[in-house]
Amino acid sequence: MRQLREEEIKRLHEIAAKKGRLKLKSAIYCRKSTEDKTATSLSTQEQNCREFILEYDSLLHLDDNHVFSEDNVSGMYIDNRDELDRLMKLVKNGEIDVIVVARSDRFSRDSANMVLLLRMLEQNNAYFIAGDDLADNSAAGILIKQIMWATNELHARNTAENVM
């Protein structure tokens, strides 16, 4: 996982102030697909996210029932992802302020779905933290994020083609 950038800490404080909270209600989302042969086990993802939240304990709070984990689920689609659906409903209800994932491709491997999910978070005054997001919100930083999302999608589509 990475360190939060100064702009992110400022944004998180703004969200907390707007919601009248000292600490933001956080959730962890972990996902693993059948094709994923890397060292990204669900338990490793969860542990990395827990350590990150603990590092920012003055700002983030995690309830144990706010860990959402899906095994054998493709990140290319948002349909049939029960835990993601459950998580996003909690965001819409104001019960979750921050979603933490080990890597952005755990949330979505489809760039259009990634944008859709991030817009839903923004509409609900919630924030997304990915452990591999090293870009800021400048024009160049946004381009870097979009390239990373497109690369994630390319990898998923190549894997699907090779399986066929």
Side-chain angles (χ1 to χ4, degrees), residues 3-16:
Q3 298 292 308
L4 285 175
R5 295 179 296 278
E6 197 61 41
E7 70 181 53
E8 290 180 295
I9 292 171
K10 181 180 176 185
R11 178 69 183 126
L12 291 171
H13 281 292
E14 289 170 358
I15 292 170

Side-chain angles (χ1 to χ4, degrees), residues 71-114:
D71 195 4
N72 199 20
V73 176
S74 172
M76 281 298 294
Y77 311 100
I78 53 179
D79 299 333
N80 300 317
R81 289 173 65 185
D82 296 337
E83 290 294 285
L84 179 63
D85 289 343
R86 200 165 66 89
L87 171 58
M88 294 308 285
K89 284 178 186 164
L90 291 174
V91 169
K92 287 178 185 176
N93 292 337
E95 297 177 50
I96 299 293
D97 305 313
V98 177
I99 295 175
V100 179
V101 297
R103 292 191 343 238
S104 60
D105 67 351
R106 301 302 84 199
F107 203 49
S108 180
R109 279 196 176 264
D110 179 85
S111 49
N113 285 336
M114 178 63 97

Side-chain angles (χ1 to χ4, degrees), residues 2 5 8 31 75-77 101-122 127-158:
R2 63 182 177 85
R5 295 179 296 278
E8 290 180 295
R31 182 193 59 77
M76 281 298 294
Y77 311 100
V101 297
R103 292 191 343 238
S104 60
D105 67 351
R106 301 302 84 199
F107 203 49
S108 180
R109 279 196 176 264
D110 179 85
S111 49
N113 285 336
M114 178 63 97
V115 170
L116 176 72
L117 290 166
L118 293 178
R119 282 195 178 137
M120 289 168 63
L121 293 176
E122 188 177 322
Y127 198 77
F128 177 74
I129 299 171
D132 62 349
D133 179 6
L134 301 176
D136 60 18
N137 287 328
S138 66
I142 291 169
L143 176 63
I144 290 168
K145 289 178 189 185
Q146 291 172 339
I147 291 170
M148 185 171 69
W149 301 337
T151 303
N152 290 337
E153 184 173 343
L154 173 68
H155 175 74
R157 291 185 185 279
N158 274 341

